[in-house]
Amino acid sequence: MDICLSIIFIIFLSPIFLLLMVLVKLDSKGPIFFKQKRIGKDGKVFRIIKFRTMIMNSEEVLKNNTVLYKKYVENSYKLDPSEDPRITKLGEFLRKTSLDEIPQFFNVLRGEMSLVGPRPILDDELKEYGDYAEKFLSVKPGITGYWQVSGRSDVGYPERVDLELYYVDRKSVSFDFYILLRTFITVAKKRGAY
């Protein structure tokens, strides 16, 4: 299901994909794609692929600003776009519409992700799962998931842990289809995306 639907989505979205490649390149200096190490199933590290929405060296820019970095960590590893100096003009639009996520279909084709599952996390975030880290990592991470359709960036830790583990406990084809359908609604409403 993951592979078949990913191929269909890639073919269907290919005109948008090509257009976004050009727009990202014209918007700011740097590569078209952003690749970042994330923790996948069974703790395997992989590089998630997204359209680049931030300036070059964005991670260093954030970590060098101790006040902002502290706020970022305390706010469940998120900053409001209005105060985030890393996000490009086009990047704000891509995040709001979730178009920056399109390249992750290639992560699915490579077997690193699933269409539906817990969101792949940064190494720093794994501590938020405490004794449940192994359980959380027992399934493939997804492009979308129960956390994304339940508020996404509006829901921080520790509530996010509960939502992700709820999915792990109830993982099924029917639940995945339910989440996929809710994803279209959530993306259309731009709820929790930033």
Side-chain angles (χ1 to χ4, degrees), residues 142-154:
I143 294 176
T144 188
Y146 194 60
W147 169 65
Q148 286 93 319
V149 299
S150 300
R152 201 171 172 183
S153 295
D154 292 333

Side-chain angles (χ1 to χ4, degrees), residues 9-138:
F9 280 125
I10 288 169
I11 292 168
F12 179 73
L13 296 170
S14 59
I16 296 170
F17 191 90
L18 293 171
L19 175 63
L20 291 178
M21 286 177 69
V22 173
L23 292 176
V24 170
K25 198 66 182 169
L26 293 174
D27 182 56
S28 61
K29 291 180 182 179
I32 294 169
F33 301 107
F34 172 73
K35 297 176 183 177
Q36 186 181 53
K37 288 182 182 177
R38 297 289 176 104
I39 310 297
K41 187 176 188 292
D42 300 323
K44 185 177 178 185
V45 176
F46 71 98
R47 289 192 177 272
I48 195 170
I49 310 166
K50 296 183 175 191
F51 280 117
R52 185 174 55 80
T53 60
M54 295 187 175
I55 60 171
M56 292 297 298
N57 302 319
S58 58
E59 291 181 54
E60 291 83 10
V61 168
L62 179 63
K63 287 185 177 178
N64 288 338
N65 186 329
T66 53
V67 174
L68 207 56
Y69 185 73
K70 184 179 180 210
K71 188 171 187 177
Y72 167 79
V73 172
E74 289 172 352
N75 195 36
S76 297
Y77 305 90
K78 295 282 179 191
L79 286 173
D80 189 278
S82 64
E83 65 179 342
D84 195 333
R86 304 169 299 160
I87 300 175
T88 65
K89 290 177 185 176
L90 178 65
E92 190 171 344
F93 169 77
L94 293 177
R95 287 167 166 245
K96 201 77 176 158
T97 57
S98 299
L99 290 171
D100 62 319
E101 311 280 352
I102 292 174
Q104 289 169 44
F105 288 113
F106 292 102
N107 286 117
V108 175
L109 290 181
R110 294 196 315 216
E112 299 160 334
M113 292 176 67
S114 181
L115 290 177
V116 180
R119 191 71 188 140
I121 59 170
L122 298 165
D123 189 48
D124 290 348
E125 291 177 275
L126 192 58
K127 67 179 180 291
E128 302 289 345
Y129 292 82
D131 295 338
Y132 298 103
E134 190 175 332
K135 181 179 179 179
F136 170 75
L137 296 173
S138 68

